[in-house]
Amino acid sequence: MKPIQTSLKRWINDNESFKQRHEAMKREILSHPNIVNFLEENSGITDNEIDKRLNKLYEYISQSIHCSTCKNYETCTNIVKGYSPNLEFLNGEIHISYEKCPSHIEYERMAEKQNLIKSMYMPKEILQAHMANVFPDPHRAQAVRAADAFIDKARDEIPQKGLFLTGPFGVGKTYLLGAIANELQKFNISSTLIYMPEFVREMREAIKDNTVQEKINMFKHADVLMLDDIGAETLSAWFRDEVLGSILQFRMMERLPVFFTSNYTMVQLEQILATSTKNGVEEVKAGRIIERIKQVSHELRIDGKNRRE
Ligand code: ADP
Ligand code: MG
């Protein structure tokens, strides 16, 4: 008999502790401010219904309700990402339903806007850059003013000339491009941003799948074209003259702006474009490219501390 008595006792003990845990949980659930409100608003809910749906109520309070504990859509902790729980009392029963949370709605709104920024090989932080976050230090004041002026004019009509931002590494040139692109999309202007070394690689690949012309056309016709880090790439004469040259020629004729960032000034870039190809010194061809760059952008220096350190 003894063993049976022992197990029975253990069972009663376990059951007691289960009951205690159950009671503690129930108290916790019923003291949650949202549950207090819900029960107040729905006075017809019986104790029996509460006991029956305790698991639903627990599911509700254990979620992030209307993003209360999540920073954004990406870090959402809910069972169904981006959906927030709702409690309802219908036909005498408690139900839990889910609806898109505010962060999810904001995420979708941003994603739709991002479509206006066609970016290739640009870091995420650049695509989330904002003019309001560009520090107004004296070294960049002129560039920021020029960017603001461009954005301001773009409200009515896209200006003919973009900016050629020259300055040392890490001062925020690329960041400024991202910020301009984000402001422009507010007026439904799309920007195409591309990192030059990848642009060269991409075009080399395009030869293989016969999409060179298609790609050149895309860059020719972009509302606003932004070429990041010109001079950092190894150029072939083909890329310089047939790709870059023809895109710039078209944009110059059509009065479409181009933004550039570079560690070089236009004068230095001319040297690089003349000597970086295998064909020896080609001053005339390099000069032609620089002439077109001048037609589609204003050169401005941007300095300051290196923000990557
Ligand atoms: P550059 O193109 O001149 O080399 P970046 O634009 O890449 O420099 O800027 C260097 C780093 O500093 C990047 O990580 C960028 O995100 C950051 N950064 C630059 N300007 C700002 C700013 N105003 N606010 C926040 N981060 C910035
Ligand atoms: Mg850069």
PDB file of all heavy atoms in Angstrom, residues 122 126 168-175 195 228-229 261-263 308, ligand 2:
ATOM      1  N   MET A 122      24.269  49.782 -52.552  1.00  0.00           N
ATOM      2  CA  MET A 122      24.423  50.859 -51.576  1.00  0.00           C
ATOM      3  C   MET A 122      24.047  50.319 -50.195  1.00  0.00           C
ATOM      4  O   MET A 122      23.081  49.585 -50.065  1.00  0.00           O
ATOM      5  CB  MET A 122      23.490  52.028 -51.913  1.00  0.00           C
ATOM      6  CG  MET A 122      23.732  52.641 -53.275  1.00  0.00           C
ATOM      7  SD  MET A 122      25.374  53.329 -53.495  1.00  0.00           S
ATOM      8  CE  MET A 122      25.287  54.757 -52.448  1.00  0.00           C
ATOM      9  N   ILE A 126      22.621  54.170 -45.848  1.00  0.00           N
ATOM     10  CA  ILE A 126      22.587  55.286 -46.798  1.00  0.00           C
ATOM     11  C   ILE A 126      21.155  55.471 -47.315  1.00  0.00           C
ATOM     12  O   ILE A 126      20.685  56.584 -47.506  1.00  0.00           O
ATOM     13  CB  ILE A 126      23.571  55.038 -47.971  1.00  0.00           C
ATOM     14  CG1 ILE A 126      25.020  54.946 -47.471  1.00  0.00           C
ATOM     15  CG2 ILE A 126      23.437  56.073 -49.093  1.00  0.00           C
ATOM     16  CD1 ILE A 126      25.571  56.186 -46.810  1.00  0.00           C
ATOM     17  N   PRO A 168      37.493  64.206 -48.835  1.00  0.00           N
ATOM     18  CA  PRO A 168      38.162  62.993 -48.349  1.00  0.00           C
ATOM     19  C   PRO A 168      37.176  61.889 -47.953  1.00  0.00           C
ATOM     20  O   PRO A 168      35.968  62.122 -47.849  1.00  0.00           O
ATOM     21  CB  PRO A 168      38.956  63.484 -47.136  1.00  0.00           C
ATOM     22  CG  PRO A 168      38.447  64.835 -46.811  1.00  0.00           C
ATOM     23  CD  PRO A 168      37.704  65.368 -47.984  1.00  0.00           C
ATOM     24  N   PHE A 169      37.739  60.754 -47.735  1.00  0.00           N
ATOM     25  CA  PHE A 169      37.018  59.545 -47.352  1.00  0.00           C
ATOM     26  C   PHE A 169      36.288  59.729 -46.000  1.00  0.00           C
ATOM     27  O   PHE A 169      36.849  60.304 -45.078  1.00  0.00           O
ATOM     28  CB  PHE A 169      38.122  58.475 -47.217  1.00  0.00           C
ATOM     29  CG  PHE A 169      37.651  57.122 -46.857  1.00  0.00           C
ATOM     30  CD1 PHE A 169      37.038  56.318 -47.805  1.00  0.00           C
ATOM     31  CD2 PHE A 169      37.847  56.625 -45.575  1.00  0.00           C
ATOM     32  CE1 PHE A 169      36.628  55.046 -47.477  1.00  0.00           C
ATOM     33  CE2 PHE A 169      37.439  55.337 -45.244  1.00  0.00           C
ATOM     34  CZ  PHE A 169      36.826  54.555 -46.199  1.00  0.00           C
ATOM     35  N   GLY A 170      35.052  59.307 -45.936  1.00  0.00           N
ATOM     36  CA  GLY A 170      34.355  59.236 -44.640  1.00  0.00           C
ATOM     37  C   GLY A 170      33.718  60.513 -44.131  1.00  0.00           C
ATOM     38  O   GLY A 170      33.252  60.560 -42.997  1.00  0.00           O
ATOM     39  N   VAL A 171      33.668  61.567 -44.950  1.00  0.00           N
ATOM     40  CA  VAL A 171      33.101  62.823 -44.438  1.00  0.00           C
ATOM     41  C   VAL A 171      31.576  62.904 -44.609  1.00  0.00           C
ATOM     42  O   VAL A 171      30.951  63.851 -44.149  1.00  0.00           O
ATOM     43  CB  VAL A 171      33.759  64.071 -45.081  1.00  0.00           C
ATOM     44  CG1 VAL A 171      35.237  64.151 -44.734  1.00  0.00           C
ATOM     45  CG2 VAL A 171      33.560  64.079 -46.596  1.00  0.00           C
ATOM     46  N   GLY A 172      31.004  61.909 -45.260  1.00  0.00           N
ATOM     47  CA  GLY A 172      29.544  61.890 -45.391  1.00  0.00           C
ATOM     48  C   GLY A 172      29.033  62.275 -46.774  1.00  0.00           C
ATOM     49  O   GLY A 172      27.885  62.682 -46.916  1.00  0.00           O
ATOM     50  N   LYS A 173      29.848  62.105 -47.793  1.00  0.00           N
ATOM     51  CA  LYS A 173      29.419  62.449 -49.158  1.00  0.00           C
ATOM     52  C   LYS A 173      28.290  61.518 -49.602  1.00  0.00           C
ATOM     53  O   LYS A 173      27.256  61.965 -50.088  1.00  0.00           O
ATOM     54  CB  LYS A 173      30.597  62.332 -50.154  1.00  0.00           C
ATOM     55  CG  LYS A 173      31.772  63.226 -49.824  1.00  0.00           C
ATOM     56  CD  LYS A 173      32.887  63.130 -50.861  1.00  0.00           C
ATOM     57  CE  LYS A 173      33.541  61.752 -50.945  1.00  0.00           C
ATOM     58  NZ  LYS A 173      34.245  61.330 -49.722  1.00  0.00           N
ATOM     59  N   THR A 174      28.528  60.223 -49.436  1.00  0.00           N
ATOM     60  CA  THR A 174      27.516  59.247 -49.868  1.00  0.00           C
ATOM     61  C   THR A 174      26.245  59.397 -49.034  1.00  0.00           C
ATOM     62  O   THR A 174      25.131  59.299 -49.558  1.00  0.00           O
ATOM     63  CB  THR A 174      28.084  57.825 -49.749  1.00  0.00           C
ATOM     64  OG1 THR A 174      29.285  57.764 -50.516  1.00  0.00           O
ATOM     65  CG2 THR A 174      27.115  56.797 -50.272  1.00  0.00           C
ATOM     66  N   TYR A 175      26.438  59.671 -47.741  1.00  0.00           N
ATOM     67  CA  TYR A 175      25.288  59.856 -46.851  1.00  0.00           C
ATOM     68  C   TYR A 175      24.397  60.993 -47.370  1.00  0.00           C
ATOM     69  O   TYR A 175      23.175  60.880 -47.396  1.00  0.00           O
ATOM     70  CB  TYR A 175      25.767  60.158 -45.429  1.00  0.00           C
ATOM     71  CG  TYR A 175      24.664  60.147 -44.406  1.00  0.00           C
ATOM     72  CD1 TYR A 175      24.315  58.976 -43.746  1.00  0.00           C
ATOM     73  CD2 TYR A 175      23.943  61.305 -44.126  1.00  0.00           C
ATOM     74  CE1 TYR A 175      23.284  58.961 -42.824  1.00  0.00           C
ATOM     75  CE2 TYR A 175      22.909  61.300 -43.211  1.00  0.00           C
ATOM     76  CZ  TYR A 175      22.589  60.123 -42.558  1.00  0.00           C
ATOM     77  OH  TYR A 175      21.561  60.102 -41.654  1.00  0.00           O
ATOM     78  N   TYR A 195      27.032  52.451 -56.926  1.00  0.00           N
ATOM     79  CA  TYR A 195      28.418  52.525 -56.481  1.00  0.00           C
ATOM     80  C   TYR A 195      29.285  52.213 -57.701  1.00  0.00           C
ATOM     81  O   TYR A 195      29.156  51.137 -58.303  1.00  0.00           O
ATOM     82  CB  TYR A 195      28.591  51.493 -55.359  1.00  0.00           C
ATOM     83  CG  TYR A 195      29.968  51.406 -54.775  1.00  0.00           C
ATOM     84  CD1 TYR A 195      30.616  52.535 -54.279  1.00  0.00           C
ATOM     85  CD2 TYR A 195      30.618  50.182 -54.680  1.00  0.00           C
ATOM     86  CE1 TYR A 195      31.878  52.437 -53.731  1.00  0.00           C
ATOM     87  CE2 TYR A 195      31.880  50.075 -54.126  1.00  0.00           C
ATOM     88  CZ  TYR A 195      32.509  51.208 -53.661  1.00  0.00           C
ATOM     89  OH  TYR A 195      33.754  51.112 -53.119  1.00  0.00           O
ATOM     90  N   ASP A 228      28.158  57.027 -57.240  1.00  0.00           N
ATOM     91  CA  ASP A 228      28.908  57.116 -55.993  1.00  0.00           C
ATOM     92  C   ASP A 228      30.351  56.661 -56.173  1.00  0.00           C
ATOM     93  O   ASP A 228      30.590  55.568 -56.682  1.00  0.00           O
ATOM     94  CB  ASP A 228      28.196  56.233 -54.947  1.00  0.00           C
ATOM     95  CG  ASP A 228      28.787  56.406 -53.560  1.00  0.00           C
ATOM     96  OD1 ASP A 228      29.109  57.548 -53.195  1.00  0.00           O
ATOM     97  OD2 ASP A 228      28.929  55.389 -52.852  1.00  0.00           O
ATOM     98  N   ASP A 229      31.277  57.507 -55.760  1.00  0.00           N
ATOM     99  CA  ASP A 229      32.706  57.175 -55.734  1.00  0.00           C
ATOM    100  C   ASP A 229      33.319  57.047 -57.129  1.00  0.00           C
ATOM    101  O   ASP A 229      34.034  56.073 -57.414  1.00  0.00           O
ATOM    102  CB  ASP A 229      32.923  55.866 -54.945  1.00  0.00           C
ATOM    103  CG  ASP A 229      33.864  56.087 -53.770  1.00  0.00           C
ATOM    104  OD1 ASP A 229      34.557  57.125 -53.777  1.00  0.00           O
ATOM    105  OD2 ASP A 229      33.906  55.242 -52.870  1.00  0.00           O
ATOM    106  N   THR A 261      29.855  61.478 -56.229  1.00  0.00           N
ATOM    107  CA  THR A 261      30.750  61.688 -55.088  1.00  0.00           C
ATOM    108  C   THR A 261      32.101  61.178 -55.559  1.00  0.00           C
ATOM    109  O   THR A 261      32.187  60.271 -56.401  1.00  0.00           O
ATOM    110  CB  THR A 261      30.355  60.919 -53.813  1.00  0.00           C
ATOM    111  OG1 THR A 261      30.669  59.546 -53.988  1.00  0.00           O
ATOM    112  CG2 THR A 261      28.899  61.094 -53.447  1.00  0.00           C
ATOM    113  N   SER A 262      33.158  61.830 -55.058  1.00  0.00           N
ATOM    114  CA  SER A 262      34.489  61.407 -55.457  1.00  0.00           C
ATOM    115  C   SER A 262      35.522  61.860 -54.429  1.00  0.00           C
ATOM    116  O   SER A 262      35.338  62.878 -53.762  1.00  0.00           O
ATOM    117  CB  SER A 262      34.834  62.010 -56.820  1.00  0.00           C
ATOM    118  OG  SER A 262      36.076  61.506 -57.266  1.00  0.00           O
ATOM    119  N   ASN A 263      36.559  61.088 -54.291  1.00  0.00           N
ATOM    120  CA  ASN A 263      37.676  61.538 -53.456  1.00  0.00           C
ATOM    121  C   ASN A 263      38.542  62.525 -54.235  1.00  0.00           C
ATOM    122  O   ASN A 263      39.479  63.100 -53.700  1.00  0.00           O
ATOM    123  CB  ASN A 263      38.547  60.362 -53.022  1.00  0.00           C
ATOM    124  CG  ASN A 263      37.831  59.480 -52.013  1.00  0.00           C
ATOM    125  OD1 ASN A 263      36.871  59.915 -51.385  1.00  0.00           O
ATOM    126  ND2 ASN A 263      38.284  58.260 -51.869  1.00  0.00           N
ATOM    127  N   ARG A 308      33.970  57.470 -40.159  1.00  0.00           N
ATOM    128  CA  ARG A 308      34.107  56.000 -40.077  1.00  0.00           C
ATOM    129  C   ARG A 308      35.072  55.590 -38.981  1.00  0.00           C
ATOM    130  O   ARG A 308      35.254  54.416 -38.733  1.00  0.00           O
ATOM    131  CB  ARG A 308      34.629  55.465 -41.390  1.00  0.00           C
ATOM    132  CG  ARG A 308      33.605  55.626 -42.469  1.00  0.00           C
ATOM    133  CD  ARG A 308      34.062  55.000 -43.719  1.00  0.00           C
ATOM    134  NE  ARG A 308      33.480  55.725 -44.829  1.00  0.00           N
ATOM    135  CZ  ARG A 308      33.210  55.184 -45.985  1.00  0.00           C
ATOM    136  NH1 ARG A 308      33.486  53.935 -46.215  1.00  0.00           N
ATOM    137  NH2 ARG A 308      32.673  55.900 -46.941  1.00  0.00           N
TER     138      ARG A 308
HETATM  139 MG    MG B   2      31.240  57.339 -50.161  1.00  0.00          MG
END
